[in-house]
Amino acid sequence: MQLLVNALIAGSLAALIAGGLALVYGLLGIFNLALGQTVLLGGYATWFLYQELHLPLTVSILGGVLVGILFTALTFEIFVNPFYRLHRFLPLVTTIALSMIFDGIILLLFQSSPKSIVPGLSPIQKIAGASISNEQLLLIGATLILLLLCAYILHATPLGRRIRATVQHEHAAMSLGIPTGFLFRSVFILSEALAAAGGIFIGIDQNLSPTLAFPITIKAYAAIIAGGKGNFWGAILCAYLIALLEQLLIGIHWFGAFYVPAGYQSTVALLFIIVFLLLKPTGLFVTHSRTA
Amino acid sequence: MDFLWHLIIIFGTWIPSVTTYTLIFGKGKMLHFGPVGVSLFTAYVTILLATATGSSVLGLLGGLCGALLLSALFAWLSLRLEADAFGVMSIAVHLGIIAIILNWSSLTRGALGISRIPRAPFPTSLFLFAMVMTVMSILWILAILAIDRSSFGRQLSALAEHKWHAMSLGIERVRVHFLAFAIGAFSSVLATFSYLHYVGLLHPNDFQFPAFILYVMFVVAGKPGSILGSTLAIILLVLLKEGLRFVPQFLPISVSVIGPLQLILFGLILFGAVWWRRDILFVKQRTI
């Protein structure tokens, strides 16, 4: 039971980050390799506001999300927008440059030592024999609400229909008067704001460290690729599946003989996805679109 | 004078792998983001095998086999996945190798790395080492230039420009990809062996992401696909990198600040280089 709860916690965090990114990939067809830095920036900004400026936690969290949004807007205008029309792979390289710049800035401002937004142990609840903290319960609940909200927006509102139409065929959507430029910008910023919120959760539940950036990025994109690139629900399902796989790998006494050490947790999951993609490169769910 | 020999040796440790990477990423447009992972894997296999058997030759052969196997995996991934998905998953392979090395400490000594690597009996002095590296670099550049101008180089360009058109003309995509990655494996063995022999220390931190970003920067700044351009970029940017170490002697800043400053500066250079090369970095297909 504890393994399932742990998978639900880790999966909720991954789904929060990967869900928005799947939409971005569907709309723009780009990968942002500075995603992990956005996640960390949200966490570090909250840590700074709460621990150094001693602002209330709620205000600090809102400040962290706001910093994430500002950073994302800057990322889009400087590192994505001038390039993705030329070639959709260009932002992959420009965001590598951005990740390097922000790694340097994070190291200069916050050093490499781990930082926790709320140090100390938080109260633990017992649910069906499994232990879970209040913050973790909040994360699971918030992710569930956000996913339901996304489902409602995507499938029951005119905005959702416009987004889905643009994902299916950008030029057809433009010819029908859909403002695709505005949609690109807003979905990109919204998705990365969710990623920054994920960073704040990491800072509250665990510790922030500059070394986390690339593993977060790669795990989120692995979920998107394994889910069938651009498929929103596929990415979310795969985020939960990867988290479950990670928990089962280290939590089970394999063949009654050995445990997989915790250090290999994410590695084995990533290698499993690589093998899976070698067999089924399109991922679990393929989104087909008509081409001329 | 020793610093000059040191610089020449450092150029020599970069040239084989970067000029080959130019062929793969710059000319072939394969988003291979795992060349440092190959070097890391090669380095550990070489050293561990050489230590276990007491033979450098066996270590080197083992390293070459390891590099070829890992490169074959990358080639297979590049054939199966779309280019951008391959880019992300090649970083995942690199991450996986780092995690295994850091966690399998009984074999790899984890984050401590492996120190006191025995040096080969030749070259005996820094000057001779620099000369050997110069000759090796020139020979490697000539070999890569020959490959670049051969039918194989043209096949690589054709596949990068239009996969289906190239294949319809009889170019075997599988053969070209495996061959390109195999050349990458050879260059990684050469570069890793000379680097380890010079430094005498194998540390996983030297093979992290900043090292990989340097690869991309050398290729983009030197003009994608240009062997001589990337060689010139290596010389200029390594000079800048090594020169930054002397900044604390002239400016009132702490030594600990140099690492993050280097990351910021190189990130800005990479961004500037992509901006400059934005029209030629990836092939634009003609549409109507």
Side-chain angles (χ1 to χ4, degrees):
Chain A
M1 188 64 193
Q2 187 64 53
L3 287 178
L4 287 177
V5 170
N6 289 349
L8 198 61
I9 297 162
S12 298
L13 178 64
L16 195 66
I17 298 169
L21 290 173
L23 271 185
V24 170
Y25 188 86
L27 278 172
L28 291 154
I30 59 158
F31 283 128
N32 167 15
L33 287 186
L35 164 79
Q37 281 71 14
T38 314
V39 172
L40 289 186
L41 201 75
Y44 275 114
T46 309
W47 174 85
F48 179 77
L49 294 171
Y50 187 63
Q51 292 286 344
E52 298 289 308
L53 299 184
H54 305 294
L55 294 176
L57 186 59
T58 323
V59 177
S60 305
I61 289 173
L62 286 175
V65 174
L66 193 68
V67 169
I69 289 173
L70 287 175
F71 170 68
T72 305
L74 202 73
T75 306
F76 186 80
E77 295 305 336
I78 299 173
F79 290 86
V80 176
N81 201 25
F83 297 97
Y84 83 95
R85 292 278 177 204
L86 292 171
H87 199 289
R88 72 184 186 92
F89 293 163
L90 277 172
L92 201 69
V93 188
T94 54
T95 53
I96 286 177
L98 179 68
S99 72
M100 204 167 173
I101 294 168
F102 267 86
D103 268 349
I105 292 174
I106 287 172
L107 280 171
L108 273 181
L109 295 178
F110 304 105
Q111 279 91 46
S112 54
S113 58
K115 303 265 186 293
S116 178
I117 296 171
V118 189
L121 294 171
S122 51
I124 300 288
Q125 310 289 330
K126 283 273 180 193
I127 297 172
S131 306
I132 186 166
S133 73
N134 291 341
E135 290 85 6
Q136 291 165 341
L137 271 174
L138 186 70
L139 171 81
I140 295 170
T143 307
L144 200 67
I145 290 168
L146 281 169
L147 291 180
L148 288 174
L149 194 68
C150 277
Y152 175 74
I153 292 173
L154 276 177
H155 298 286
T157 64
L159 175 67
R161 277 193 290 278
R162 285 185 196 122
I163 292 174
R164 284 187 294 136
T166 313
V167 168
Q168 279 178 14
H169 204 298
E170 186 197 340
H171 290 113
M174 279 167 82
S175 69
L176 291 171
I178 294 172
T180 52
F182 170 75
L183 280 183
F184 290 158
R185 199 169 267 109
S186 352
V187 171
F188 188 87
I189 291 174
L190 184 73
S191 75
E192 303 261 330
L194 289 178
I200 296 169
F201 175 75
I202 294 174
I204 292 174
D205 189 47
Q206 306 156 33
N207 288 311
L208 295 160
S209 160
T211 53
L212 286 175
F214 258 112
I216 290 172
T217 311
I218 298 307
K219 219 184 284 181
Y221 282 121
I224 291 169
I225 297 167
K229 290 191 301 178
N231 188 314
F232 179 74
W233 298 109
I236 286 166
L237 180 70
C238 280
Y240 279 105
L241 281 178
I242 291 170
L244 183 65
L245 184 69
E246 284 184 348
Q247 295 302 325
L248 292 179
L249 271 169
I250 59 158
I252 289 180
H253 196 196
W254 288 96
F255 311 111
F258 67 92
Y259 286 102
V260 174
Y264 295 111
Q265 191 181 31
S266 53
T267 309
V268 181
L270 281 176
L271 294 180
F272 181 83
I273 292 169
I274 290 166
V275 173
F276 169 74
L277 286 174
L278 281 172
L279 301 172
K280 191 168 166 42
T282 48
L284 275 180
F285 309 98
V286 193
T287 313
H288 291 289
S289 66
R290 278 175 292 180
T291 49
Chain B
M1 206 59 185
D2 279 356
F3 187 64
L4 178 67
W5 306 139
H6 163 75
L7 283 175
I8 291 172
I9 294 166
I10 297 294
F11 298 150
T13 57
W14 279 107
I15 283 171
S17 42
V18 173
T19 46
T20 316
Y21 188 59
T22 305
L23 215 60
I24 297 171
F25 174 63
K27 197 177 178 77
K29 311 295 178 197
M30 290 176 234
L31 294 179
H32 173 36
F33 293 156
V36 181
V38 179
S39 299
L40 178 62
F41 185 68
T42 308
Y44 271 91
V45 172
T46 306
I47 296 304
L48 292 174
L49 211 61
T51 314
T53 59
S55 160
S56 296
V57 178
L58 275 181
L60 206 58
L61 282 174
L64 180 62
C65 289
L68 282 169
L69 279 175
L70 189 59
S71 296
L73 173 69
F74 278 124
W76 191 15
L77 273 172
S78 76
L79 291 164
R80 295 288 284 165
L81 299 177
E82 276 185 48
D84 51 355
F86 169 58
V88 172
M89 296 324 289
S90 59
I91 297 179
V93 175
H94 182 186
L95 268 181
I97 294 167
I98 291 176
I100 290 168
I101 284 167
L102 288 176
N103 285 291
W104 198 350
S105 47
S106 59
L107 182 72
T108 62
R109 289 174 44 87
L112 294 172
I114 299 172
S115 56
R116 291 190 211 146
I117 293 169
R119 293 188 172 196
F122 180 82
T124 47
S125 70
L126 206 57
F127 168 73
L128 277 177
F129 202 134
M131 290 305 107
V132 169
M133 293 302 277
T134 308
V135 172
M136 185 191 82
S137 300
I138 292 169
L139 288 176
W140 188 264
I141 290 169
L142 290 174
I144 292 291
L145 277 173
I147 291 170
D148 183 40
R149 286 162 194 178
S150 68
S151 64
F152 172 75
R154 285 193 292 279
Q155 287 173 4
L156 205 56
S157 287
L159 279 169
E161 278 174 26
H162 205 296
K163 188 172 74 179
W164 296 111
H165 289 178
M167 286 167 76
S168 70
L169 291 171
I171 295 172
E172 287 176 57
R173 186 165 171 253
V174 176
R175 190 185 67 88
V176 172
H177 275 232
F178 272 94
L179 204 55
F181 280 89
I183 298 168
F186 276 102
S187 73
S188 123
V189 171
L190 206 60
T192 309
F193 187 71
S194 51
Y195 173 78
L196 293 178
H197 176 66
Y198 179 59
V199 177
L201 168 74
L202 173 55
H203 200 280
N205 272 0
D206 295 337
F207 297 85
Q208 295 275 9
F209 285 97
F212 148 65
I213 291 166
L214 282 176
Y215 271 76
V216 179
M217 196 169 65
F218 291 141
V219 171
V220 179
K223 190 179 172 188
S226 164
I227 313 293
L228 296 177
S230 57
T231 307
L232 185 67
I234 291 170
I235 293 170
L236 294 175
L237 291 167
V238 166
L239 277 176
L240 179 68
K241 186 171 179 273
E242 294 292 314
L244 276 174
R245 291 198 298 176
F246 298 103
V247 170
Q249 290 179 12
F250 304 104
L251 290 174
I253 56 171
S254 152
V255 179
S256 62
V257 170
I258 293 298
L261 276 183
Q262 207 176 66
L263 283 175
I264 295 170
L265 181 67
F266 283 175
L268 288 171
I269 292 173
L270 177 58
F271 178 67
V274 177
W275 179 275
W276 186 31
R277 307 278 193 205
R278 63 189 184 279
D279 289 323
I280 56 162
L281 187 54
F282 294 107
V283 180
K284 272 187 280 186
Q285 289 188 359
R286 279 175 289 180
T287 51
I288 51 162

